[in-house]
Amino acid sequence: MGSSGLPSGGRAFPRTARIRKRPAFEAVQQHGHRVPTKDLIVLWQEGRTRETRLGITVSRRVAKQAVRRNRIKRWIREAFRQLPDRATRRSLDIVVIARGRAVTSTYGDVQAQLSRFWRKVEPQPPPKSRRRQRRRGRRSGAS
C-alpha cells in the first residue's frame, strides 16, 4: 500500500479511458442511467468509443480544499482501474459524481460502492435452463 492508502500499482490510468470534455459529461448526465450509492452518484450509458471511459466530478461543495477533492478523484480512478476486465466487457461512458459524504469515506468504501455498481451494470450470463430430463430405460412394473 502506498502512503495515500491506495494499493501501490503498476498500471496507469490512460487518458483515452477518461471523459474530459463537457459535452461528453452532459450527454451521460442527460441520457444515462443513474445508480446512487452512499457517497457517489454513478451515471452510465453505452459508450461511443471502443473503450470504457470514466469522468469524475467533485465540486467545491463536497470539499473546499483541493487536496481533499483530488484525493477523492484518485480513489475513484484507482477503484475503477481495479475493477475486473472492464475494457473487455463492453463500451460504457461512466460519470461519477461525489456527494458531500465522500469526504469522510475511505478508499475501501469507494471501492466497495463502485464494485456494487459494476455488478449491477455488467452483463449477466444467460440463466441455465432447468428443463426436466427424461429418465431413460424401462418403467418399473412394466414388462
Side-chain angles (χ1 to χ4, degrees):
M1 288 256 196
S3 62
S4 65
L6 295 176
S8 49
R11 300 184 340 231
F13 195 77
R15 282 191 170 197
T16 58
R18 297 182 191 179
I19 297 175
R20 299 180 53 201
K21 303 287 184 182
R22 184 170 172 83
F25 273 92
E26 288 174 345
V28 175
Q29 289 175 346
Q30 290 173 2
H31 306 292
H33 304 278
R34 183 183 177 106
V35 179
T37 68
K38 180 183 152 208
D39 301 322
L40 309 168
I41 298 171
V42 185
L43 304 157
W44 66 277
Q45 72 177 5
E46 295 297 326
R48 297 178 188 153
T49 62
R50 289 184 295 165
E51 190 171 20
T52 295
R53 299 185 308 159
L54 174 69
I56 303 169
T57 301
V58 183
S59 72
R60 268 187 247 143
R61 282 187 195 165
V62 172
K64 297 265 188 229
Q65 297 172 327
V67 171
R68 291 184 179 177
R69 291 193 305 271
N70 291 336
R71 180 182 305 134
I72 294 166
K73 290 184 219 177
R74 278 195 313 271
W75 286 351
I76 293 168
R77 272 194 304 270
E78 179 62 17
F80 186 78
R81 192 182 68 79
Q82 294 290 326
L83 292 173
D85 300 328
R86 64 170 175 71
T88 60
R89 298 208 195 282
R90 64 184 187 187
S91 170
L92 296 175
D93 284 346
I94 301 170
V95 172
V96 179
I97 302 170
R99 292 181 169 185
R101 290 173 255 167
V103 174
T104 59
S105 66
T106 64
Y107 170 70
D109 295 336
V110 170
Q111 186 178 32
Q113 290 172 43
L114 284 176
S115 292
R116 267 184 250 121
F117 156 75
W118 195 251
R119 281 193 298 271
K120 288 181 182 180
V121 170
E122 73 180 337
Q124 300 298 320
K128 294 180 180 179
S129 65
R130 294 185 170 229
R131 284 183 22 195
R132 252 189 177 155
Q133 293 181 352
R134 289 184 176 179
R135 289 188 185 182
R136 295 185 183 191
R138 298 182 191 188
R139 291 185 179 180
S140 59
S143 305

